[in-house]
Amino acid sequence: MEQKPPHNQYDLTFKRIFSFKEVFLNFLKSTIKRPWVDKIDLQSLEFVDRSFVKDEFVEKEADVIYRAKIEDTDIYFYVLLEAQSTADKTMPRRLFEYMNLIWQRHIEETKDELLPPVVPIVLYNGRSNWNVPTLIFKGWDIFKDDMFNYFLVDVNNLDDETLKNRLDLLSVILYLDRSRKTAKEFIEKLKEVTEYISCLPTEQVKVFAMWLLRVIRPQMMEEIQGEIDELLGRIEQEGVADVGDFVFNVQRLMQEYYKEAEEKGKEKGYEEGKFEGKLEATIRIARNMILAGAEDSFISKVTGLDIEKIKELRQNMTDKEFEQF
């Protein structure tokens, strides 16, 4: 089960999760180990609409913004949902640009003379480890640990036991999300969390059900995808009546599909093996052309690979490879 749902669906799920104030506050307390976090009152948390930060944010990033009060001070939390596969080296600059938009709009709205604290957080779920510094500004020795860093939550570094012990909607989804490489592992973990999901508030159960269906939808045949789309529509309107029965049916659907896929895979094994061998040879040629200094467009014409695949190959190549060429 290696294919992930499209980023817009993935982002939408996490935005809905963070729309629950208690989930977001629990996320802050488990992520940011600072004394002032304990001073945040749940009632003071306010989910901020993207339009609060002008049109520059619209359709530009996947983000969540919250405003809270600590004593008499407004504080903003800006969560960037980083769903791409590798770390982005421009992250510090990007975060500063978005923090600046929040500051500009806050000043316009409140006429405050001083800037409010903006705490940037990156929620990253890419395949490779995050290797970009979390420091945004140099200097500011007094405040850099709290004000001019972003807090990184690298899902790769969260172990299963930690996620299971947190027992909230976000942790359950992250726990399952780490297990989508094989259908068998995913189904087993889904069974583990069914009872807990059954005890969640109705709206959170709805979000979980829609996430689950969107995760499995790309793996299914077209006729089954149509059934899933109909079910998504009903859940959006009516919710989930029986969580246990819903999860059981999802498990059955996945088991039947992958059993059939496995049987078809055996029949096509030889042809697929030939295709994979040809693809590997094509990728080797593309990598050698990159090392030789060829342009992406030319490499695409020669190998037949699309430009995005070539850019991904180029990004993942190391300086050592270029030095040895």
Side-chain angles (χ1 to χ4, degrees):
M1 298 183 64
E2 294 181 348
Q3 185 178 357
K4 286 196 172 187
H7 286 182
N8 61 338
Q9 294 182 359
Y10 188 91
D11 300 338
L12 178 61
T13 295
F14 281 92
K15 287 180 183 179
R16 287 183 171 182
I17 292 170
F18 281 134
S19 69
F20 302 108
K21 294 197 295 184
E22 63 274 18
V23 174
F24 185 77
L25 184 56
N26 188 50
F27 169 74
L28 292 180
K29 290 183 176 181
S30 63
T31 301
I32 303 176
K33 305 299 182 180
R34 297 287 188 267
W36 51 264
V37 176
D38 293 328
K39 297 181 180 180
I40 299 174
D41 181 11
L42 178 65
Q43 298 305 315
S44 77
L45 274 175
E46 176 187 355
F47 188 84
V48 179
D49 187 79
R50 288 166 68 97
S51 62
F52 175 84
V53 217
K54 294 188 174 179
D55 295 336
E56 288 93 331
F57 268 98
V58 177
E59 300 300 326
K60 191 172 184 180
E61 292 288 355
D63 54 30
V64 172
I65 305 172
Y66 263 89
R67 177 168 50 196
K69 275 192 179 294
I70 297 180
E71 298 177 351
D72 293 326
T73 302
D74 281 327
I75 180 169
Y76 291 86
F77 297 95
Y78 171 60
V79 183
L80 178 61
L81 307 174
E82 189 70 354
Q84 59 188 22
S85 59
T86 56
D88 185 351
K89 294 183 179 180
T90 68
M91 182 60 68
R93 176 178 56 79
R94 284 169 57 196
L95 287 172
F96 176 69
E97 290 175 356
Y98 308 142
M99 292 167 66
N100 191 47
L101 288 173
I102 294 173
W103 283 324
Q104 288 179 31
R105 186 55 181 265
H106 178 85
I107 294 297
E108 292 173 5
E109 292 290 322
T110 65
K111 309 302 180 184
D112 283 349
E113 296 180 358
L114 298 178
L115 296 175
V118 177
V119 180
I121 303 170
V122 175
L123 180 58
Y124 171 68
N125 76 327
R127 298 188 189 94
S128 59
N129 290 329
W130 189 267
N131 57 3
V132 180
T134 57
L135 185 66
I136 295 179
F137 297 101
K138 293 181 179 178
W140 284 286
D141 291 337
I142 296 175
F143 300 106
K144 66 180 181 181
D145 289 338
D146 295 323
M147 294 303 301
F148 296 100
N149 286 355
Y150 60 88
F151 292 90
L152 174 66
V153 183
D154 190 339
V155 176
N156 296 305
N157 295 331
L158 297 175
D159 61 83
D160 284 352
E161 287 304 313
T162 297
L163 292 172
K164 286 172 65 176
N165 290 335
R166 286 184 186 172
L167 286 180
D168 60 25
L169 178 60
L170 174 63
S171 299
V172 167
I173 286 182
L174 291 178
Y175 176 63
L176 293 172
D177 191 61
R178 292 158 55 92
S179 309
R180 290 199 278 122
K181 292 183 179 179
T182 67
K184 182 178 180 181
E185 182 182 3
F186 187 82
I187 291 171
E188 288 302 315
K189 290 193 172 182
L190 185 57
K191 292 177 182 177
E192 292 178 17
V193 301
T194 299
E195 184 177 352
Y196 172 74
I197 292 297
S198 301
C199 300
L200 289 175
T202 302
E203 283 302 310
Q204 295 190 32
V205 170
K206 181 189 292 188
V207 170
F208 173 79
M210 297 182 71
W211 171 83
L212 182 58
L213 289 175
R214 288 191 174 110
V215 163
I216 68 169
R217 185 188 184 281
Q219 320 299 327
M220 301 292 110
M221 296 175 290
E222 288 187 9
E223 55 268 29
I224 298 179
Q225 289 181 351
E227 293 179 18
I228 291 175
D229 289 339
E230 291 180 8
L231 185 54
L232 279 168
R234 290 203 301 271
I235 291 174
E236 182 69 48
Q237 296 296 323
E238 305 168 12
V240 179
D242 188 326
V243 175
D245 185 57
F246 168 77
V247 171
F248 174 79
N249 286 326
V250 170
Q251 292 169 354
R252 178 178 53 79
L253 183 67
M254 293 174 65
Q255 288 168 333
E256 290 176 357
Y257 174 77
Y258 283 100
K259 182 180 179 181
E260 181 180 347
E262 184 179 359
E263 292 173 353
K264 289 182 178 179
K266 290 177 181 177
E267 297 174 3
K268 297 182 179 180
Y270 177 70
E271 288 78 5
E272 290 178 353
K274 286 173 61 179
F275 173 77
E276 290 175 1
K278 182 179 179 181
L279 180 60
E280 289 176 3
T282 302
I283 288 175
R284 283 198 298 272
I285 293 171
R287 289 170 65 88
N288 287 335
M289 293 181 73
I290 291 172
L291 292 171
E295 296 291 334
D296 290 352
S297 58
F298 179 68
I299 298 172
S300 179
K301 289 180 181 179
V302 172
T303 63
L305 295 173
D306 60 50
I307 295 293
E308 291 303 316
K309 179 63 178 178
I310 295 167
K311 288 181 178 179
E312 182 183 343
L313 289 174
R314 187 184 293 277
Q315 186 176 13
N316 291 333
M317 294 176 72
T318 64
D319 294 338
K320 187 175 181 181
E321 288 180 276
F322 285 95
E323 292 171 0
Q324 292 177 344
F325 184 73

